[in-house]
Amino acid sequence: NVIDTGLLNIAAAIRAPTADSRPVRHQTIAGATGGRRQVSRVLVTGGTGFIGRALCPILLRHGVRVSIATRSPRVAETIGGVDVRPIPGIGPRVDWSVVLRDVDAIVHLAAKVPAALADQNPQHVRDDQRVNVSGARKLAEDAAAAGVRRVVYVSTASVHGARTAPDQAFSEADPPAPADLYARSKCEA
């Protein structure tokens, strides 16, 4: 199943040892090997969402300690075995320093998704851009300052378009062609 494979690829990217803290702009999951240091604690943003709820148990089964950064601590507490770290949001003004203590890696799943993807209201578009682009940038900057060695940013397939040809899937090698404003904000992040 495609979702299971994707979740296992995320887990593999997190668990691969890191040789140093040099940032990598784009790296395929298959290339995430080598190095000296194993990841022991992962912070998952969006851990209470569709992908996060499936990913956290996989990471736990692989022996990784999992923390969830969330605006909904009560919801996160229903996911067994995780450390819950409350946050006020995911925008560019969030101070991640306390949440990032003892974190080796981050899986950034959280995003502001418009209530209606067809929403073209200019103010809503600017808000989504600010949160998804500037918020992801702020998290990455705070992560670097905290010594976090790996960040896995999870986007959306719609950054490649609305649909593929029959019997084909999108590939990370496909050129970006965001299907909507949400996909554009995820692509820009």
Side-chain angles (χ1 to χ4, degrees), residues 76-102:
E77 289 168 355
T78 65
I79 302 170
V82 301
D83 169 45
V84 178
R85 299 184 179 191
I87 56 170
I90 58 170
R93 293 190 182 109
V94 173
D95 177 1
W96 292 90
S97 60
V98 172
V99 176
L100 292 171
R101 284 194 189 126
D102 302 320

Side-chain angles (χ1 to χ4, degrees), residues 58-137:
I58 291 172
L59 292 171
L60 290 166
R61 280 195 304 272
H62 281 88
V64 176
R65 293 179 298 153
V66 176
S67 295
I68 295 178
T70 181
R71 292 176 300 144
S72 306
R74 286 189 183 155
V75 175
E77 289 168 355
T78 65
I79 302 170
V82 301
D83 169 45
V84 178
R85 299 184 179 191
I87 56 170
I90 58 170
R93 293 190 182 109
V94 173
D95 177 1
W96 292 90
S97 60
V98 172
V99 176
L100 292 171
R101 284 194 189 126
D102 302 320
V103 169
D104 300 306
I106 298 168
V107 177
H108 185 44
L109 300 169
K112 184 171 185 209
V113 181
L117 289 178
D119 184 354
Q120 302 295 314
N121 177 308
Q123 183 59 46
H124 296 169
V125 170
R126 281 191 299 277
D127 288 345
D128 293 350
Q129 292 289 104
R130 180 184 57 79
V131 169
N132 293 341
V133 178
S134 301
R137 181 179 304 117

Side-chain angles (χ1 to χ4, degrees), residues 130-155:
R130 180 184 57 79
V131 169
N132 293 341
V133 178
S134 301
R137 181 179 304 117
K138 177 69 163 61
L139 173 58
E141 291 168 353
D142 286 2
V148 175
R149 299 176 62 87
R150 178 164 293 152
V151 175
V152 175
Y153 173 76
V154 179
S155 187

